Amino acid sequence: MTALRVLGIALLLLLGVGVVLLRWVAPDEAPQSLVFVGGEIITMAEPLEVEAIWVKDGLIQLLGSRSEVLEAAGREVHRVDLDGATLMPGFIEPHTHPLATALLGAAIDVSGFRHESRAEMMATLEDAIEGFTPQPWILAFGWDPIMVPQLEPPTLQELDALSPDKPLVILTQMMHEAFANSAALREAGIDRDTPDPPAASFGRDENGDLTGSVLEVNAINYLLRAVPALPPAVTALLLRWQFADYARAGFTTIGVLGVVGRAKDPIGLLQSLAADAHVPVRTVVYGLPQHLDVEAKPEPMYEARFAIRGVKFWMDGSPFTGGAAFAEPYEDTDLTRERMHLAPDRMGPLNHGLEAFTTEFGRFHRAGYQVAIHTQGERAVQRVLDAAASVLAEHPWPDHRHRLEHNALITGEQIRRAKALGFELSFFTDHIYYYGDRLAEIVGDRVDRYMPVGTAFREGHRATIHSDNPATPIGPLRVMRTAILRTPRKGHRAIGSSERLSVDQALRAMTTNAAWQLGIENHRGSLEAGKAADLLILSRNPMETPPEELDSIEVLGTWIDGQPVDTRRASRPNLGLALRALTQLTTPSHQ
Ligand SMILES: [Zn+2]
């Protein structure tokens, strides 16, 4: 039996269960005119709290006291009793990668979220590969030398022993390094003479032989191009399930910061899903340069659940692979030397020369694309701001809102300069939660200014926080709690406590500021008359919950355009897609 047949049977089961479920629990379409009362309502606007909100035809009509809203809405309006729950604007994730997550969901999980040691990870790999025979490529995800102690990278010999004939690829948690066995390298056409792609490399030993290590985005893409694509409807179904996961976590909109993941036409795929009025989240997309037409930027369609907003670049890599372009060398410690295999004076490379990047940045800037750039180290931030300063001097665009992403070690001065140039900042605060206990071994004293989101707020930025899923799990309430408390999962020492956010700031980061960065602030992000009714219902009011308990708050539901979102895997549209997936799986060309 092939793996695709197994997937086919799973889909068939889903379909069967789905049909039964649909008969009993299919949520009704909500009436077009609704008043929410009986709970706490946080608007994230002025006034901050109201008693009631009236929604009609997907738009917010009126907010205010219970009596005034009910009177204005008239007798025929349908009342929704919140029953003590809290209603607020749907969360907005400013930076995530749904296609990568959807496809990696089918990979073997070797992550530090589930494994404590190398032995456990290798056992998981062995078990999975043993029971996994017919899959054309074996993919594993989550190798994590920072979270898992004493984690030596797998050698090519080990990878070949795990899977002698079939291609095997293990992707690290931060997705900036992969390990490939000989079969995978062969299928991808990578040998000792293959030149390194720009800003990336294939690991080689002192004799020039490949080690199986594949470092940074361009090299990983080169390798993964050889993985056979899934039938389109299967990819679409996995993506729909992924969208439902975001909705269950409380998101109503997500920013897709670089559509990474193997699919024929990734942007077209996202767009086709969003054409369905029942898609569980709205997507705002930043494409890779090669996927975009720089001559013709599409106008965003705010009524649709999809918009192409910008372009994504990577100026440096991950702090956890030695790829972040710091201004001072990485710390020289057991972790950096023995586990990360960094030379003692390692600074991390820049991916683009100043002149070349200025040209590329300028092309997209002039075409009206918002430009978002991955920048972790100070030198990466510097290079982007230098390029932007010269482009902006010749082609001013006061409201460009270009974005710097992650910003591990951006300095206070750079934060001020970014503000002056009109840049917005988004921070990957989950580094503190998942890696905080090891950060000092990588950056030393610089840990006190790691992910300086508090400074960004003080300097007047509309800053946001993100989880960069699949780099870390989806969890907006955990992300907010970490930004507020700055305490890691292991150990109790807070990381850079002067960079803490207030609860109000964290909520703004996740709603109004994220809407601003995605360019949808006139339509979403807060509850105000005339805006779309994109709503989130929580079991407790986050403003009155102690921050350490924030992620115990339950998401009771999300609404988009005044309609409840169906977050079940066996939702009605998913069943149609499952049927198509089945058809494609049983078509010989896909076998
Ligand atoms: Zn990312």
Side-chain angles (χ1 to χ4, degrees):
M1 187 158 53
T2 70
L4 287 179
R5 285 224 180 86
V6 175
L7 184 57
I9 290 166
L11 288 170
L12 204 56
L13 282 174
L14 163 87
L15 208 62
V17 174
V19 169
V20 174
L21 279 177
L22 261 182
R23 295 181 58 160
W24 300 106
V25 298
D28 290 313
E29 295 265 298
Q32 287 303 311
S33 184
L34 299 156
V35 167
F36 292 85
V37 285
E40 302 191 42
I41 300 176
I42 303 172
T43 63
M44 299 310 296
E46 281 296 316
L48 189 57
E49 299 199 30
V50 295
E51 283 178 4
I53 175 170
W54 175 28
V55 171
K56 189 163 177 262
D57 300 328
L59 294 178
I60 296 167
Q61 306 293 318
L62 185 69
L63 305 108
S65 74
R66 184 188 167 96
S67 57
E68 97 190 90
V69 169
L70 281 172
E71 193 185 329
R75 286 179 143 254
E76 297 305 308
V77 77
H78 179 84
R79 278 191 211 195
V80 181
D81 185 359
L82 289 168
D83 202 16
T86 293
L87 180 79
M88 62 173 289
F91 289 141
I92 298 173
E93 167 61 83
H95 183 137
T96 188
H97 303 278
L99 183 60
T101 312
L103 298 177
L104 290 171
I108 304 167
D109 178 354
V110 292
S111 70
F113 309 120
R114 294 212 183 148
H115 300 82
E116 295 282 330
S117 69
R118 191 179 200 270
E120 282 179 33
M121 295 161 77
M122 293 307 267
T124 294
L125 280 168
E126 262 172 53
D127 286 355
I129 291 168
E130 231 164 65
F132 215 73
T133 39
Q135 198 78 333
W137 279 58
I138 303 161
L139 298 176
F141 172 53
W143 190 271
D144 196 331
I146 318 295
M147 211 184 296
V148 176
Q150 317 289 312
L151 187 62
E152 279 298 318
T155 63
L156 191 57
Q157 292 69 29
E158 279 180 299
L159 295 166
D160 287 344
L162 277 167
S163 178
D165 307 314
K166 196 159 294 197
L168 164 65
V169 174
I170 304 173
L171 192 55
T172 57
Q173 185 63 41
M174 287 294 151
M175 300 185 293
H176 284 263
E177 187 173 12
F179 307 105
N181 71 347
S182 298
L185 293 169
R186 205 164 39 239
E187 293 262 327
I190 301 166
D191 59 31
R192 52 174 292 144
D193 302 322
T194 308
D196 286 339
S201 62
F202 302 115
R204 293 167 217 267
D205 63 18
E206 54 277 13
N207 304 319
D209 290 321
L210 294 170
T211 62
S213 159
V214 176
L215 206 60
E216 287 305 336
V217 181
N218 288 335
I220 294 170
N221 283 344
Y222 192 104
L223 171 72
L224 295 182
R225 273 190 330 203
V227 180
L230 287 170
V234 176
T235 309
L237 184 65
L238 292 172
L239 200 47
R240 288 278 313 216
W241 286 352
Q242 184 56 35
F243 282 177
D245 288 351
Y246 290 107
R248 273 196 300 277
F251 290 114
T252 49
T253 297
I254 57 170
V256 183
L257 266 276
V259 191
V260 289
R262 180 93 170 76
K264 238 184 218 147
D265 170 19
I267 294 182
L269 175 63
L270 288 170
Q271 182 158 21
S272 69
L273 286 195
D276 161 19
H278 297 278
V279 71
V281 285
R282 179 183 309 282
T283 43
V284 178
V285 172
Y286 299 64
L288 303 182
Q290 64 268 32
H291 292 150
L292 295 168
D293 181 358
V294 76
E295 303 305 326
K297 179 182 179 285
E299 279 304 307
M301 299 170 296
Y302 292 112
E303 49 311 331
R305 298 197 177 181
F306 174 86
I308 294 177
R309 166 87 183 157
V311 59
K312 168 77 183 288
F313 290 97
W314 280 259
M315 182 51 83
D316 64 349
S318 162
F320 306 125
T321 57
F326 295 153
E328 310 280 333
Y330 277 73
E331 292 299 299
D332 185 9
T333 61
D334 273 1
L335 179 64
T336 54
R337 199 184 271 249
E338 303 299 326
R339 305 294 154 222
M340 295 163 66
H341 299 279
L342 304 184
D345 55 351
R346 175 80 179 183
M347 307 263 281
L350 291 163
N351 289 348
H352 305 272
L354 179 60
E355 205 173 316
F357 186 70
T358 306
T359 305
E360 270 297 271
F361 180 94
R363 280 175 62 217
F364 282 96
H365 170 89
R366 289 196 305 278
Y369 283 90
Q370 186 188 29
V371 186
I373 311 102
H374 171 119
T375 50
Q376 291 283 23
E378 304 92 328
R379 280 167 39 244
V381 174
Q382 174 90 25
R383 170 73 35 104
V384 171
L385 295 183
D386 287 350
S390 63
V391 170
L392 281 162
E394 275 187 51
H395 303 277
W397 173 10
D399 195 26
H400 58 76
R401 304 184 202 176
H402 297 320
R403 294 171 50 172
L404 298 179
E405 301 300 308
H406 310 325
N407 300 308
L409 286 185
I410 190 172
T411 66
E413 199 191 318
Q414 289 178 328
I415 288 173
R416 283 186 288 279
R417 186 175 175 215
K419 178 73 193 161
L421 287 169
F423 271 75
E424 294 298 345
L425 307 177
S426 190
F427 291 87
F428 192 174
T429 43
D430 258 346
H431 276 201
I432 290 163
Y433 184 65
Y434 287 108
Y435 302 95
D437 58 320
R438 310 301 303 272
L439 280 175
E441 295 167 69
I442 300 173
V443 298
D445 292 346
R446 292 169 280 181
V447 71
D448 291 331
R449 59 179 187 84
Y450 199 87
M451 298 291 170
V453 59
T455 301
F457 268 86
R458 282 189 290 276
E459 295 296 338
H461 279 279
R462 290 177 167 97
T464 60
I465 47 183
H466 58 250
S467 83
D468 197 19
N469 181 260
T472 61
I474 296 172
L477 289 152
R478 177 200 68 240
V479 170
M480 285 200 291
R481 187 193 59 192
T482 301
I484 294 163
L485 298 175
R486 294 186 68 97
T487 45
R489 184 171 65 145
K490 294 178 187 163
H492 294 285
R493 194 178 93 87
I495 304 294
S497 17
S498 62
E499 297 297 341
R500 282 179 173 145
L501 296 189
S502 66
V503 176
D504 174 66
Q505 286 171 325
L507 281 168
R508 277 194 277 145
M510 209 52 98
T511 55
T512 48
N513 289 7
W516 173 265
Q517 289 192 359
L518 298 182
I520 54 173
E521 77 281 3
N522 292 333
H523 308 265
R524 336 233 158 228
S526 60
L527 305 184
E528 294 176 81
K531 284 194 175 183
D534 284 10
L535 312 171
L536 165 64
I537 303 176
L538 295 173
S539 63
R540 289 169 78 181
N541 182 341
M543 293 193 156
E544 287 156 16
T545 301
E548 52 278 7
E549 291 170 27
L550 266 181
D551 69 345
S552 66
I553 295 178
E554 263 179 87
V555 173
L556 303 178
T558 56
W559 295 56
I560 296 181
D561 294 335
Q563 291 294 324
V565 171
D566 187 349
T567 62
R568 295 166 309 154
R569 292 202 154 186
S571 66
R572 202 186 298 263
N574 285 3
L575 296 178
L577 209 46
L579 266 179
R580 290 225 312 278
L582 267 179
T583 317
Q584 291 178 1
L585 282 170
T586 48
T587 306
S589 68
H590 290 296
Q591 289 289 320

